[in-house]
Amino acid sequence: MASPSAGRPSRTATHYEVLDLQPALLGAAEPHDIATLIKRAYRRALLRNHPDKAAQSSAPTLTVDQIGEAYAVLSSPPRRKEYDAGLRVARIAGGSRDDDDETKFHTGIENVDLDDLGFDEAGRRWYRSCRCGNDRGYSFEEEDLVDASEDGVLMVGCQDCSLWLKVHFAVVEE
């Protein structure tokens, strides 16, 4: 089922919306399954927007070029990783305030307490393994905590994939 924003891509439409895919679905799939999922979504989008095949009541709203661009980016792991990073930056920077829940980009975010993380005394860094396989995928130092001390929450991205860790902590005044 296509989302309402999967029509003509605007400043809020993502390649995921063009192909009617959930980013979390790709993040949870095995690498060989990702290619299959993206290819199926690409073909469905082409059929949904083909002038001769689209339902009479709904006129095609995407062009072959728009669908092709979404497929090209999402089917290439390095391009998809760069694209996902750009979406995260746009979202963190505030993005559009008029987005509804369906058009916002969501990625894997795990909430943890600072006390649940490992601490490397030699490197003076907190760390945690990521489900992508990197034993220290999430890593940060005290300076990062100081920068986020006003909120008591630090967002840390994995060094190897598109997942995030939301680290909750409290500043104790002595």
Side-chain angles (χ1 to χ4, degrees), residues 50-93:
H50 191 282
D52 295 335
K53 308 238 184 217
Q56 294 287 350
S57 62
S58 63
T61 55
L62 294 169
T63 67
V64 173
D65 291 339
Q66 292 164 323
I67 297 167
E69 173 66 15
Y71 174 75
V73 169
L74 296 182
S75 64
S76 166
R79 288 182 71 187
R80 184 172 66 247
K81 186 174 182 178
E82 182 179 328
Y83 181 74
D84 289 347
L87 287 174
R88 284 192 303 274
V89 167
R91 184 169 156 242
I92 291 169

Side-chain angles (χ1 to χ4, degrees), residues 73-114:
V73 169
L74 296 182
S75 64
S76 166
R79 288 182 71 187
R80 184 172 66 247
K81 186 174 182 178
E82 182 179 328
Y83 181 74
D84 289 347
L87 287 174
R88 284 192 303 274
V89 167
R91 184 169 156 242
I92 291 169
S96 174
R97 297 276 183 223
D98 61 342
D99 289 346
D100 62 17
D101 286 339
E102 287 186 349
T103 61
K104 288 183 182 173
F105 175 75
H106 298 281
T107 188
I109 298 176
E110 184 179 353
N111 288 290
V112 297
D113 189 80
L114 180 63

Side-chain angles (χ1 to χ4, degrees), residues 128-139 158-161:
R128 180 167 177 166
S129 63
C130 180
R131 69 180 185 205
C132 72
N134 185 336
D135 289 337
R136 294 190 179 214
Y138 305 105
S139 177
C158 177
Q159 299 171 21
D160 288 342
C161 71

Side-chain angles (χ1 to χ4, degrees), residues 28-39:
E30 295 293 322
H32 64 279
D33 293 334
I34 291 173
T36 303
L37 289 170
I38 293 170
K39 191 176 285 187

